[in-house]
Amino acid sequence: MATGFFWDERTFWHGGGNYAFTLPVGGLIQPLAAGGLPESPETKRRLVNLMNVTGLMGELDVRTAPEAPTEALLRVHPQSYLDTFKEMSDNGGGELGLRVPFARGGYELAALSAGLSIAAVEAVLTGDVQNAYALSRPPGHHCLPDYPNGFCLMANIAIAIEAAKGLAGRVAVLDWDVHHGNGTEAIFYDRDDVLTLSFHQEGNYPLDTGALADRGKGAGEGYNINLPLPAGAGHTAYLHAMDRVAVPAIRDFAPDIIIIASGYDASAVDPLARMIATADTYRQMTHKVKDLAAEVCDGKLVLVHEGGYSEVYVPFCAHAAIEAMSGSAIKLADPFGVTFEVRQPGPRFDAFLIAEIDLMADQLGL
C-alpha cells in the first residue's frame, strides 16, 4: 500500500494580517516587507513544490478531504468557542486567544485543516493506506479546547483521535515540534487511552508548561511524558532521545496507531527556536518510528504537520521525513547538510546532552 498524502491548496490561504515576528505592527513594531506571522504558507507550499520537482509526490497517494464536521469538532471544542470563532470569521476575522489572528473564512480553513488530519488517521486505521502525512494548516498542537494559542485554532490531532473512536482504542502521540505540545497534553491529561509524549526546547513556548514532572492526573497518571531539552541540542541528542525515551515508552504502551505531531522548528535555522536538527535528523527519527510502528501496530503511522518557520529549510526536512515513511528510493541530497553538520554540538556537549536525557529517562522510569 502507498503512503497517503493529504493536503489542500486552500489551507495555504489562511492569513493573519500584518505582524512582525509574533507582534502586530504598530508603535515601534515596524512592518516587514513580506509581512505576516512566522507561521507562513510558504513553508508548506515550497514543500509541495519540492516534492513535485523531485518526483516524490508522484509516488504518493495524494488526496484532499472535507472540512471536519461540527460534531467532530464538538468532541474537543465547546460550542461556545466554535460559535465565537465562526462569528468572528464570518465578520472579517480577528484574533482569538494568544497570537492567533485569522482573516475572513478562517473558521472554515481551520476546520479543513482538522479534516485533513481526520482523513489521514481514518485512512490508515481502515487499511486504505499503510501510513499517511497530513499537511495541515493552521497547526493544532497548542490549541486548548476553548483557548487557541501559538498559531493554532483547532486541535487537529485531538479532533482526529476522537473522530477515530471505534477504529483505535489506544493512540500514542509523539510531538517532536520544538515547542511543547500543551494543547494535546491538556486534552488527554486525565486519560489512559492516549499516550502523549513531547520533545521540546526547554523554556521556549509556552513558558509555563512542558515540565518533566507533569505526568498526567487521575486515570492519566503516567500517560503524559515531557522531555524538555536544553537549547543547542542537535542530531545526536534527538536520536538518543528517540532510542532512550520515545521508543521504549511507546513500545510499552502498545498503541493501535502512532501519530507524530511533526514540527520542523528544531531545525538549525528556525527563527523561533535554538536547536540544531537537520533534514537527516528528521529522516532518521521517522525511520525509527516507522520501524516501531511495524513492530507494535502493524505499521499504522500518521505524521501531522505542525510548526517549522524557515521557508528555506522546512521543505527539505519534511521531504526527508516523507521519504522515510514512504520507503521511497528518492534520497534527496540536503544542500545545507555540510554546513549544518559542522555546526553540530561537539563531543563534550553531546555527552552532556546524552547524560541529561538518560537522567530524565531514569526519572520517567524508562
Side-chain angles (χ1 to χ4, degrees), residues 16 67 87 144 148 151 176 184 194 212 219 221 223 234 241 260 263 309 329 346 348:
E67 296 173 13
E87 182 180 1
L144 301 167
F151 313 142
W176 60 45
T184 313
V194 179
L212 181 71
E221 179 69 34
Y223 292 92
I260 307 296
Y309 307 101
R348 288 183 300 166

Side-chain angles (χ1 to χ4, degrees), residues 11-15 37-47 137 311:
T11 64
F12 299 163
W13 294 23
H14 164 65
L37 287 166
E39 200 286 297
S40 160
E42 291 310 301
T43 54
K44 289 84 175 175
R45 181 173 282 126
R46 287 164 67 96
L47 168 61
R137 181 177 183 266
E311 295 177 18

Side-chain angles (χ1 to χ4, degrees), residues 11-36:
T11 64
F12 299 163
W13 294 23
H14 164 65
N18 200 0
Y19 275 63
F21 194 53
T22 59
L23 295 178
V25 168
L28 297 177
I29 307 300
Q30 302 178 49
L32 294 171

Side-chain angles (χ1 to χ4, degrees), residues 2-8 12 44-63 133 135 319 322-323 326 328 330:
T3 291
F5 184 80
F6 292 78
W7 79 290
D8 195 299
F12 299 163
K44 289 84 175 175
R45 181 173 282 126
R46 287 164 67 96
L47 168 61
V48 170
N49 293 343
L50 184 63
M51 292 168 64
N52 281 324
V53 169
T54 64
L56 182 58
M57 187 72 85
E59 297 182 357
L60 307 177
D61 187 344
V62 181
R63 307 183 184 190
Y133 193 99
L135 189 59
H319 195 286
I322 297 168
E323 286 172 29
S326 67
S328 175
I330 296 171

Side-chain angles (χ1 to χ4, degrees), residues 153-339:
L153 284 156
M154 291 182 181
N156 298 327
I157 288 175
I159 291 166
I161 290 171
E162 295 299 273
K165 282 300 181 64
L167 294 173
R170 294 165 69 82
V171 179
V173 181
L174 170 59
D175 189 330
W176 60 45
D177 187 284
V178 82
H179 304 107
H180 176 234
N182 62 301
T184 313
E185 174 185 279
I187 291 164
F188 299 111
Y189 201 65
D190 60 355
R191 288 171 48 175
D192 61 4
D193 59 332
V194 179
L195 173 70
T196 50
L197 196 162
S198 176
F199 293 171
H200 46 270
Q201 181 185 324
E202 186 174 23
N204 189 321
Y205 183 89
L207 298 177
D208 57 348
T209 65
L212 181 71
D214 296 341
R215 299 300 317 278
K217 68 178 181 180
E221 179 69 34
Y223 292 92
N224 183 76
I225 296 173
N226 288 318
L227 196 73
L229 298 171
H235 180 81
T236 297
Y238 269 90
L239 295 187
H240 186 69
M242 287 294 297
D243 292 339
R244 189 69 174 81
V245 177
V247 170
I250 295 172
R251 180 183 288 124
D252 289 347
F253 182 68
D256 299 312
I257 186 172
I258 302 170
I259 302 176
I260 307 296
S262 191
Y264 302 98
D265 33 14
S267 78
V269 287
D270 196 273
L272 299 189
R274 296 295 177 266
M275 300 306 218
I276 322 178
T278 69
D280 191 51
T281 310
Y282 291 104
R283 178 184 288 108
Q284 292 197 39
M285 288 199 298
T286 304
H287 273 304
K288 289 178 183 293
V289 77
K290 182 183 179 184
D291 290 344
L292 178 62
E295 176 188 338
V296 302
C297 55
D298 197 28
K300 292 181 172 61
L301 170 66
V302 175
L303 270 66
V304 177
H305 199 111
E306 292 285 354
Y309 307 101
S310 170
E311 295 177 18
V312 172
Y313 202 44
V314 164
F316 292 98
C317 294
H319 195 286
I322 297 168
E323 286 172 29
M325 75 181 302
S326 67
S328 175
I330 296 171
K331 298 292 185 288
L332 184 63
D334 180 359
F336 302 98
V338 172
T339 189

